[in-house]
């Protein structure tokens, strides 16, 4: 029998990502927290499970697992998660100590499927200039946009080159750098990770910040922008 304190500043039920972040924030601010989970594993809906847990989670406890090897050799994410290495969420997870319950894995690369072929999404300026996703002239124009985006600082007008990205749309920024539809698709969906083209009519600042996040994340580990 374990004796527990009777008074806490907060009681948090569940060990999903948001519950762990909240618990960590309260703890590092000096609060006394009781963090509980009714399951026999951490993570809630975002958990990573070994094989017996996985089959039990889906009410398949009676299945024969002998052909799969040792159960604990498996680690299956219920919801695979990709986080930008330089993103706010990763910094928050580190700050709150939630990383004690997580294991990060560097993703080998990002790829897109186009016209029957798989292409690696460029992670550096050199890769962009050699990528088969872009034509010769497109590569130079894309490089110019990338150089501008990476040096852009919202609070430093000397980096704006006379452009107001809060009022200028992303389509207008593309047009300024003479980037065609092929490059727009590549930048908007493979790098900025937009699901549709609505961003084209929105302020360019949002997309420029996404470009910076992508390439700054790559710069941290010089391989891929994502952690899993």
């Amino acid at each position: 029998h374990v004796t527990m304190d009777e008074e806490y500043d907060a009681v948090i039920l569940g060990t999903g990502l948001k519950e762990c972040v909240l618990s960590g924030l309260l703890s590092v601010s000096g609060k006394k927290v009781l963090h509980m989970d009714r399951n026999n594993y951490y993570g809630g809906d975002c958990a990573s499970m070994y094989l017996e847990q996985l089959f039990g989670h889906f009410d398949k406890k009676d299945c024969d697992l002998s052909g799969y090897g040792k159960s604990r050799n498996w680690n299956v994410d219920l919801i695979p998660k990709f986080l930008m290495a330089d993103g706010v969420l990763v910094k928050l997870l580190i700050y709150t100590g939630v990383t004690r319950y997580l294991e990060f894995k560097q993703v080998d690369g990002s790829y897109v499927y186009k016209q029957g072929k798989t292409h690696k999404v460029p992670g550096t300026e050199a890769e962009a200039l050699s990528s088969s996703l872009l034509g010769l002239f497109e590569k130079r124009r894309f490089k110019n946009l990338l150089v501008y985006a990476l040096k852009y600082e919202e609070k430093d007008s000397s980096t704006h080159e006379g452009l107001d990205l809060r009022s200028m749309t992303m389509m207008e920024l593309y047009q300024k750098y003479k980037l065609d539809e092929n490059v727009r698709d590549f930048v908007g969906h493979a790098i900025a990770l937009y699901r549709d083209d609505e961003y084209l009519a929105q302020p360019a600042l949002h997309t420029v910040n996404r470009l910076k996040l992508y390439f700054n994340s790559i710069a941290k580990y010089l391989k891929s922008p994502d952690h899993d």
Side-chain angles (χ1 to χ4, degrees):
H1 178 72
V2 179
T3 302
M4 299 177 61
D5 294 329
E6 295 183 0
E7 294 186 4
Y8 296 89
D9 296 310
V11 177
I12 297 178
L13 304 179
T15 53
L17 184 58
K18 60 181 180 296
E19 290 87 1
C20 287
V21 170
L22 178 59
S23 176
L25 285 172
L26 291 172
S27 296
V28 298
S29 64
K31 301 298 183 182
K32 191 174 182 180
V33 180
L34 175 62
H35 197 172
M36 306 174 67
D37 198 318
R38 65 182 178 181
N39 297 312
N40 63 348
Y41 54 84
Y42 289 107
D45 292 337
C46 299
S48 296
M49 299 181 172
Y50 56 83
L51 210 55
E52 286 181 357
Q53 289 177 324
L54 180 69
F55 277 72
H57 181 74
F58 292 103
D59 296 323
K60 301 293 183 180
K61 296 180 180 179
D62 297 329
C63 290
D64 181 12
L65 306 180
S66 59
Y68 295 97
K70 294 182 179 180
S71 175
R72 291 184 179 273
N73 287 345
W74 292 78
N75 191 29
V76 182
D77 271 358
L78 294 180
I79 304 176
K81 299 160 283 292
F82 291 89
L83 310 177
M84 286 294 181
D86 198 43
V88 174
L89 182 54
V90 169
K91 296 174 183 177
L92 181 61
L93 293 175
I94 294 172
Y95 173 74
T96 59
V98 175
T99 47
R100 290 175 295 180
Y101 313 111
L102 301 173
E103 180 178 344
F104 292 99
K105 184 181 185 304
Q106 191 172 353
V107 177
D108 291 334
S110 299
Y111 297 84
V112 295
Y113 184 78
K114 181 180 179 182
Q115 296 179 345
K117 295 183 179 180
T118 303
H119 305 268
K120 187 177 187 300
V121 177
T124 63
E125 182 180 312
E127 286 185 355
L129 292 177
S130 62
S131 174
S132 57
L133 279 169
L134 306 174
L136 178 61
F137 295 109
E138 294 172 329
K139 291 175 182 177
R140 296 295 177 183
R141 292 167 183 164
F142 169 67
K143 176 187 174 183
N144 292 337
L145 172 63
L146 183 58
V147 169
Y148 173 74
L150 292 180
K151 75 175 184 179
Y152 181 90
E153 296 292 341
E154 187 175 359
K155 296 182 179 180
D156 184 358
S157 59
S158 67
T159 66
H160 297 181
E161 297 184 7
L163 304 180
D164 183 359
L165 299 189
R166 290 170 297 183
S167 61
M168 185 182 205
T169 67
M170 193 58 206
M171 176 60 83
E172 291 171 334
L173 186 61
Y174 281 142
Q175 291 172 341
K176 172 178 170 53
Y177 284 93
K178 300 179 180 179
L179 298 175
D180 62 16
E181 183 178 359
N182 179 55
V183 181
R184 296 198 297 266
D185 283 344
F186 161 67
V187 172
H189 303 301
I191 297 179
L193 303 180
Y194 287 110
R195 291 181 295 179
D196 53 47
D197 288 335
E198 291 183 4
Y199 81 97
L200 292 171
Q202 298 173 355
L205 179 61
H206 303 316
T207 303
V208 166
N209 284 336
R210 286 192 175 212
L211 294 180
K212 292 183 65 173
L213 173 60
Y214 184 93
F215 285 99
N216 287 340
S217 295
I218 287 175
K220 275 187 174 290
Y221 300 98
L222 299 178
K223 193 173 185 181
S224 158
D226 307 314
H227 270 66
D228 181 8

